[in-house]
Amino acid sequence: MLDHGAAPPSTESPAAGGPRPGRGLMRRKPVEALVAEGGQGEGGSLKRSLGMWQLTMISIGATLGTGIFIVLGENIPKAGPAITLSFVIAGLTALFSALSYAELAGTIPVAGSSYSYAYATLGEFVAWICGWCLIIEYGVSVSAVAVGWGQYLNELLDGTIGVTLPDALSAPPGSGGYFNLPALIVVLLAMVFLLGGARESARINTIMVAVKIAALVLFCVIGFMGFKSGNYSDFMPLGRVGVSAAASSLFFSYIGFDAASTAGEEAKNPKRDLPRAIMLSLVIVTALYVLVAVVAVGARPWKQFEGSEAVLADIMKDVTGQSFWATLLAACAVIAIASVVLTVLYGQTRILFAMARDGLVPKVFAKVSPRTGTPVANTVIVSVFCGVLAAAVPLGELANATSIGTLFAFALVNVAVVVLRYTRPDMARTFRVPLGWVIPVMGFLSCGYLMWNLPGITWQYFGYWMAAGLVIYFGYGYRRSRLATASQK
């Protein structure tokens, strides 16, 4: 709910979570300090140029893509027709966390997203863990989305000129490919757009989002022509376990709303617009996901989704008996998935920007071009890394790794809301999570439930990732953080 009558923020005291020199892992960064340094980087500042509509499009752009165009087909065999329930479960989990994000985004409108929220409430060590999870969420998500782009690119090439790229250069490793060249190309293209500036990138993204929404509406119209109610006769053939397993994997499809919160230092009116953009985008995306899933299963028996890649294009071809519609959808999917790469890559660079400004990662990630107002070196480094990762790692493992990192970060955001309500009840909040602490607790528990249902191998990779993060933190960030160096003066 909107809260227009809250008291103005007060000066943060040590008891309320201010900086505590010498307290090491528990040192916290005052909220006022986070907000005051918004936009400031090394050598330049980020530009405030984004309105609510652009923020909403960033959130939709980062969310609506591979999750529905690619991952849907991979998860229907897990849950059967009950895939719609899986989307609802994942959507509810995202909703609980989105409400918490909306409150914190309106209260602490900075680029670091949940990393910065944790720094202000739970301490530097927890903030580092959260930031490290966000790196896997954003960086690996870019790579996973880019992998799916090549599959629809081949569908488009086949439908237009009758030529496709060989599997060795277009398929993910483990699926007949050796190096996914299209995945690398789409990441590098997104990098070029981002280097032009946030406003310019947002304009391009808005156009691409409009295209992808139109494509999904078109799919639903045509797919409904082939709808057979008998495909839902055995609604939950694999039981609750299948529904839960699919929901855990499909959560990957909802992570994009977090991207809007990373634009806190480039929004014109972040306290008002960020909460609205987060909630509006989640409603639009969830409605589209459920509708597309219902139509897809109605148009094709769930057992026939096994091994299907460009699943929505295939369904349109089957229903109409013509390749034109499938080719048109493939063209839209190429644009749609590219917009996810663009917006998620944007979010990754802003997370690293905030961490570098705090001294937890090298300062090169905080350097901003005075001309474009963008972190140029940061963008190039992240893009090259994500592009190579996309070209060399299978999609399935990337998607699951993204889900577990995201769920962990979202769980911490729900905790941060409760902590900040307790330590700073006087702060002005343009949005408040309804029902007090009930929603954040439900958000925390639902994130934990979906994490529990992820495969053991995903937990193993997550453990390796966290171990590497701890080595980097204690070897670099712990001593070089700005709070640590300030306490030594």
Side-chain angles (χ1 to χ4, degrees), residues 132-170:
W132 195 240
C133 287
L134 289 174
I135 290 174
I136 195 173
E137 171 190 340
Y138 280 95
V140 177
S141 177
V142 168
S143 304
V145 169
V147 171
W149 188 76
Q151 297 171 9
Y152 273 97
L153 178 63
N154 257 345
E155 185 78 18
L156 175 61
L157 292 174
D158 183 43
T160 53
I161 61 177
V163 175
T164 59
L165 297 173
D167 286 347
L169 293 178
S170 63

Side-chain angles (χ1 to χ4, degrees), residues 190-191 194-195 345 349-350 374-384:
M191 177 190 75
L194 289 175
L195 291 176
L345 191 64
T349 59
R350 272 46 179 185
T374 58
V376 174
N378 181 344
T379 302
V380 172
I381 294 170
V382 170
S383 300
V384 171

Side-chain angles (χ1 to χ4, degrees), residues 282-296:
L282 186 63
V283 170
I284 293 172
V285 166
T286 302
L288 281 171
Y289 278 166
V290 174
L291 181 60
V292 170
V294 168
V295 173

Side-chain angles (χ1 to χ4, degrees), residues 40-71:
Q40 300 174 17
E42 297 286 330
S45 300
L46 302 177
K47 297 179 180 179
R48 292 195 177 276
S49 58
L50 305 177
M52 192 198 80
W53 179 249
Q54 292 165 311
L55 293 170
T56 303
M57 292 300 102
I58 287 174
S59 186
I60 295 176
T63 308
L64 199 61
T66 301
I68 196 68
F69 285 101
I70 302 290
V71 178

Side-chain angles (χ1 to χ4, degrees), residues 61-63 66-67 71 133-148 186-187 251-256 259 337 340-345 348 385-386 389-390 395 397-403 406:
T63 308
T66 301
V71 178
C133 287
L134 289 174
I135 290 174
I136 195 173
E137 171 190 340
Y138 280 95
V140 177
S141 177
V142 168
S143 304
V145 169
V147 171
V186 72
V187 175
F251 191 77
F252 165 79
S253 307
Y254 284 94
I255 67 171
I337 296 173
V340 182
V341 174
L342 176 68
T343 48
V344 176
L345 191 64
Q348 172 68 96
F385 174 80
C386 292
L389 190 66
L395 171 64
E397 295 305 329
L398 287 174
N400 282 339
T402 301
S403 290
T406 304

Side-chain angles (χ1 to χ4, degrees), residues 134-417:
L134 289 174
I135 290 174
I136 195 173
E137 171 190 340
Y138 280 95
V140 177
S141 177
V142 168
S143 304
V145 169
V147 171
W149 188 76
Q151 297 171 9
Y152 273 97
L153 178 63
N154 257 345
E155 185 78 18
L156 175 61
L157 292 174
D158 183 43
T160 53
I161 61 177
V163 175
T164 59
L165 297 173
D167 286 347
L169 293 178
S170 63
S175 299
Y178 294 101
F179 190 82
N180 194 327
L181 184 60
L184 175 61
I185 291 174
V186 72
V187 175
L188 296 182
L189 286 174
M191 177 190 75
V192 172
F193 287 130
L194 289 175
L195 291 176
R199 176 186 292 179
E200 292 72 15
S201 301
R203 288 173 178 169
I204 294 168
N205 174 67
T206 298
I207 295 171
M208 293 192 288
V209 168
V211 170
K212 76 170 82 177
I213 291 177
L216 291 175
V217 171
L218 175 65
F219 166 80
C220 291
V221 171
I222 293 179
F224 192 74
M225 294 166 55
F227 192 93
K228 297 179 177 64
S229 59
N231 290 343
Y232 281 91
S233 58
D234 186 8
F235 183 68
M236 199 181 295
L238 302 173
R240 182 187 60 82
V241 173
V243 173
S244 298
S248 297
S249 185
L250 286 171
F251 191 77
F252 165 79
S253 307
Y254 284 94
I255 67 171
F257 72 80
D258 176 61
S261 67
T262 67
E265 296 175 25
E266 289 160 284
K268 295 177 182 177
N269 190 346
K271 288 181 175 293
R272 182 197 67 189
D273 293 342
L274 283 176
R276 294 178 179 180
I278 289 171
M279 298 310 302
L280 179 59
S281 64
L282 186 63
V283 170
I284 293 172
V285 166
T286 302
L288 281 171
Y289 278 166
V290 174
L291 181 60
V292 170
V294 168
V295 173
V297 175
R300 171 182 284 190
W302 69 272
K303 292 182 180 179
Q304 295 181 18
F305 283 85
E306 188 74 43
S308 181
E309 294 180 346
V311 59
L312 301 188
D314 290 345
I315 290 175
M316 291 183 76
K317 186 185 299 183
D318 294 342
V319 170
T320 63
Q322 301 175 7
S323 60
F324 168 77
W325 296 107
T327 302
L328 178 61
L329 184 74
C332 293
V334 167
I335 296 172
I337 296 173
S339 76
V340 182
V341 174
L342 176 68
T343 48
V344 176
L345 191 64
Y346 166 84
Q348 172 68 96
T349 59
R350 272 46 179 185
I351 295 294
L352 284 170
F353 171 83
M355 295 177 73
R357 188 171 57 194
D358 291 332
L360 296 181
V361 297
K363 290 184 178 180
V364 66
F365 292 102
K367 290 184 177 179
V368 176
S369 166
R371 183 176 65 85
T372 63
T374 58
V376 174
N378 181 344
T379 302
V380 172
I381 294 170
V382 170
S383 300
V384 171
F385 174 80
C386 292
V388 172
L389 190 66
V393 180
L395 171 64
E397 295 305 329
L398 287 174
N400 282 339
T402 301
S403 290
I404 196 169
T406 304
L407 287 164
F408 194 87
F410 283 11
L412 291 179
V413 168
N414 286 292
V415 174
V417 167

